[in-house]
Amino acid sequence: MMMMQDSSTVKESLAMVDAIQRLGIDYHFEDEIDEILKREYNNYHTTNCCFDGFNLHEITLRFRLLRQQGYFLPSAGLLDKLKDKDGRFKQNLNDDIKGVMELYEASQLSIGGEDYILDEARNYSYNVLISWMKRFEYPQVKNTIDHPHHKSLPRFMAQNFEEGPYKWSKEVQDIANFDLKMVQSQYKQEILQISRWWEEIGVSKELKFARNEPIKWHLWAMAILNQPNLSEQRIDLTKSISFIYLIDDIFDVHGTLHQLILFTQIIDRWDIAAAEQLPDCMRICFKALDKVTNEISYKIYKQHGCNPVDSLRKTWGTLCKAFLVEARWFISGKTPNAEEYLQNGIVSSGVYVVLLHIFFMLGHGSTSEATDFINDNPAIVSSAATILRLWDDLGSAKDENQDGYDGSYLDFYMKENKGCSEDYARKKVIQMISDSWKKLNQESLFSTTPFSSTTYSKSCLNLARMVPLMYTYDHNQNLPLLQQHVGYLLCTENDEILL
């Protein structure tokens, strides 16, 4: 903290903030970081938005850090300084690899509309970086392209961090190493609790098809709720996530259409007595889900004074109805159009279930206004869900433990647009993901709702950041990238963790 206060130049202050955030230890220094960035935001306006004397790296780093903190800087007036009189990025910028890398990082903060110049900056910097990769061995360039900071999880990416030239660089790295050891121990204890809970409720014993993947479920919660003090919320969220996977399996491969219709109706009514009509696998699942939902609701009531049980039950009914729509398509052979598929797929992704639980766990549901907000599937939720659905479909990876197949946006788009190549369809999906990120940026960083710039909005961002790691399969249907990062985050010297 003393070093943050003593950093004498803008350049050094911003470099320290960047290092702390990239190492995932910024939660220790929230007040200090906000003080530095608030000062820089005020300086920006005091000097009439002037960046004279700043180089490319300093300009774009300042822009990115301020936007990430929720301080809005217009992109046009700022980045226009980087262009020549013909409107092209200045030729001499090509040789400033550090600056171009930071320009690519800054371009990820686009919110659409006025930010067309950030799209130009992204395309320009991407092409320059690709050119550099072909000529030089520079791992950080590839890491920047593959994992830009704003769209990545610092905890997972900290192993790629390079110490800077400043006197405080080693001290910051030492703090991060010590912090990692603490969270490793905490996360392992949480996984043990989840594993014991899963055994105790007996679902895996009764339902042999049920996936026993507590680490995978917990990874979602660990990524989304990444602050160490949210341990209890992570455990409860992991329990809910396990049921999304379980119910998905029931709909995909373990139920007739008649059974699935009845299952959906009973969950939608939350009719415990009627559950006796269900096949064993559905009855056991529903009763276990009812117990967990009631336990989570009671905890939230004790902690925050509001009982979200009706909202939580409703969201499970909504999820099942979306799964049922997909089951009808698959069984009947009907082909929906791409937009129909996507709108339903946004719901069946399970993202709304996850983010609604988090909303109440964080204590945001204490007023009718807040409950109405989250029950209406707001844009901050739907944009994150769109990212997950489209990214999953882009890979079209089929889980090794499932036999069902629900189609993908790519499939339906190409069927709807005869003659469309797969390459064109993939580019369209990539653009749609980019547009959804712009909407998510707008809602999470600059929204005027009472829940902007809070742990909740950061949770929505973190969910979207986790998606590429959770859905980047190799040809063996494994997740090598996720395995690599989990090994770094959870394993000590003699540990081995398999997903």
Side-chain angles (χ1 to χ4, degrees):
M1 293 181 183
M2 289 174 62
M3 286 188 292
M4 292 184 77
Q5 293 167 354
D6 291 342
S7 295
S8 57
T9 67
V10 172
K11 177 181 178 181
E12 189 168 353
S13 295
L14 296 182
M16 183 178 283
V17 170
D18 187 37
I20 287 171
Q21 291 181 342
R22 286 182 179 275
L23 288 168
I25 56 174
D26 48 307
Y27 68 94
H28 291 296
F29 306 100
E30 289 178 349
D31 291 340
E32 290 77 18
I33 289 173
D34 194 53
E35 181 181 341
I36 289 172
L37 296 180
K38 184 176 182 180
R39 183 179 68 228
E40 293 310 315
Y41 184 67
N42 291 336
N43 287 344
Y44 169 77
H45 287 288
T46 301
T47 57
N48 295 318
C49 312
C50 179
F51 279 84
D52 292 343
F54 285 69
N55 62 30
L56 173 61
H57 180 266
E58 292 163 357
I59 289 174
T60 49
L61 176 61
R62 189 188 203 186
F63 174 85
R64 175 172 65 82
L65 293 179
L66 287 172
R67 274 211 172 187
Q68 283 175 178
Q69 196 75 358
Y71 294 107
F72 180 78
L73 267 65
S75 59
L78 175 66
L79 298 183
D80 276 341
K81 296 178 182 293
L82 306 175
K83 292 186 172 185
D84 60 26
K85 61 182 181 181
D86 296 320
R88 294 188 293 265
F89 284 95
K90 296 175 181 177
Q91 187 66 31
N92 66 332
L93 298 179
N94 293 7
D95 297 326
D96 182 2
I97 188 60
K98 187 178 179 182
V100 174
M101 287 167 61
E102 189 53 54
L103 178 61
Y104 183 76
E105 295 275 16
S107 72
Q108 310 302 315
L109 274 292
S110 174
I111 59 171
E114 59 88 30
D115 276 341
Y116 67 92
I117 192 171
L118 286 184
D119 292 338
E120 293 180 38
R122 184 186 67 241
N123 295 334
Y124 160 76
S125 55
Y126 176 83
N127 290 329
V128 173
L129 294 178
I130 290 294
S131 176
W132 266 77
M133 283 178 57
K134 292 177 180 177
R135 293 180 291 152
F136 305 104
E137 189 70 28
Y138 198 173
Q140 286 302 107
V141 173
K142 185 177 189 312
N143 187 60
T144 297
I145 292 175
D146 293 343
H147 310 293
H149 174 69
H150 178 65
K151 295 181 179 177
S152 302
L153 293 160
R155 284 280 186 203
F156 290 95
M157 301 302 158
Q159 60 186 313
N160 299 321
F161 179 77
E162 286 188 347
E163 285 188 17
Y166 303 102
K167 61 182 180 181
W168 45 259
S169 296
K170 185 179 185 305
E171 283 84 351
V172 169
Q173 184 71 68
D174 288 344
I175 293 172
N177 292 337
F178 181 72
D179 186 76
L180 176 61
K181 291 178 182 178
M182 289 195 301
V183 297
Q184 276 181 335
S185 176
Q186 184 176 30
Y187 289 156
K188 287 179 182 179
Q189 289 301 315
E190 292 170 6
I191 291 171
L192 287 175
Q193 288 186 54
I194 291 296
S195 298
R196 283 197 295 266
W197 165 79
W198 185 246
E199 288 295 320
E200 289 169 1
I201 65 173
V203 171
S204 59
K205 294 178 183 177
E206 299 290 339
L207 310 181
K208 299 302 182 184
F209 65 85
R211 285 178 275 184
N212 184 20
E213 299 177 331
I215 295 177
K216 192 173 187 178
W217 305 329
H218 184 263
L219 282 172
W220 279 112
M222 189 172 71
I224 298 168
L225 296 172
N226 60 358
Q227 293 170 301
N229 66 325
L230 297 175
S231 180
E232 183 177 5
Q233 289 85 347
R234 273 193 298 277
I235 291 170
D236 286 339
L237 182 62
T238 303
K239 293 177 182 180
S240 299
I241 290 171
S242 72
F243 281 99
I244 296 176
Y245 280 93
L246 177 58
I247 294 172
D248 187 26
D249 286 345
I250 288 174
F251 273 86
D252 273 356
V253 293
H254 291 284
T256 65
L257 181 58
H258 174 73
Q259 292 169 340
L260 295 175
I261 291 172
L262 183 61
F263 183 54
T264 300
Q265 291 172 343
I266 288 173
I267 287 187
D268 191 43
R269 299 196 308 267
W270 211 266
D271 190 341
I272 297 297
E276 298 304 320
Q277 306 171 39
L278 294 169
D280 286 347
C281 67
M282 297 180 183
R283 175 174 48 79
I284 292 168
C285 172
F286 180 41
K287 288 192 172 182
L289 176 63
D290 176 63
K291 183 180 179 185
V292 167
T293 301
N294 289 336
E295 288 173 353
I296 291 175
S297 298
Y298 182 62
K299 280 186 185 180
I300 294 171
Y301 174 71
K302 285 203 305 181
Q303 292 172 0
H304 303 294
C306 62
N307 189 343
V309 67
D310 290 339
S311 292
L312 298 189
R313 289 174 175 177
K314 181 180 177 181
T315 193
W316 287 111
T318 300
L319 178 68
C320 288
K321 285 187 275 191
F323 281 151
L324 181 60
V325 169
E326 293 175 348
R328 289 182 187 275
W329 287 337
F330 180 66
I331 292 170
S332 68
K334 176 191 173 183
T335 302
N337 64 47
E339 185 60 24
E340 284 177 331
Y341 165 80
L342 180 59
Q343 291 308 309
N344 188 75
I346 288 171
V347 180
S348 68
S349 70
V351 168
Y352 181 55
V353 174
V354 170
L355 293 180
L356 181 132
H357 277 72
I358 292 172
F359 187 83
F360 287 106
M361 287 176 181
L362 295 177
H364 290 312
S366 58
T367 66
S368 58
E369 176 194 9
T371 302
D372 290 344
F373 169 81
I374 196 62
N375 284 341
D376 197 34
N377 194 11
I380 193 171
V381 174
S382 61
S383 55
T386 303
I387 291 168
L388 188 150
R389 172 54 61 207
L390 290 175
W391 193 285
D392 185 15
D393 288 356
L394 199 60
S396 297
K398 187 170 65 173
D399 191 290
E400 64 272 18
N401 293 325
Q402 291 180 301
D403 300 315
Y405 180 62
D406 303 319
S408 75
Y409 185 89
L410 282 170
D411 294 337
F412 298 129
Y413 183 82
M414 287 189 288
K415 287 178 182 177
E416 190 178 335
N417 296 271
K418 301 298 183 182
C420 171
S421 69
E422 181 176 348
D423 182 60
Y424 179 86
R426 292 180 70 85
K427 288 179 179 177
K428 176 178 173 58
V429 171
I430 290 170
Q431 183 59 52
M432 293 172 68
I433 293 173
S434 177
D435 291 342
S436 296
W437 260 107
K438 291 177 183 180
K439 184 181 294 185
L440 180 57
N441 287 340
Q442 173 69 59
E443 295 298 320
S444 60
L445 300 176
F446 306 116
S447 173
T448 57
T449 69
F451 320 107
S452 58
S453 299
T454 66
T455 302
Y456 182 70
S457 61
K458 292 175 184 176
S459 298
C460 297
L461 278 170
N462 285 338
L463 187 148
R465 290 163 174 158
M466 185 61 174
V467 167
L469 294 179
M470 197 61 82
Y471 290 99
T472 302
Y473 290 86
D474 63 13
H475 63 282
N476 294 319
Q477 304 301 331
N478 295 322
L479 296 164
L481 186 61
L482 184 62
Q483 188 78 49
Q484 171 192 342
H485 293 307
V486 169
Y488 164 76
L489 188 57
L490 292 181
C491 293
T492 51
E493 186 175 349
N494 298 316
D495 293 333
E496 182 180 8
I497 294 180
L498 298 177
L499 298 177

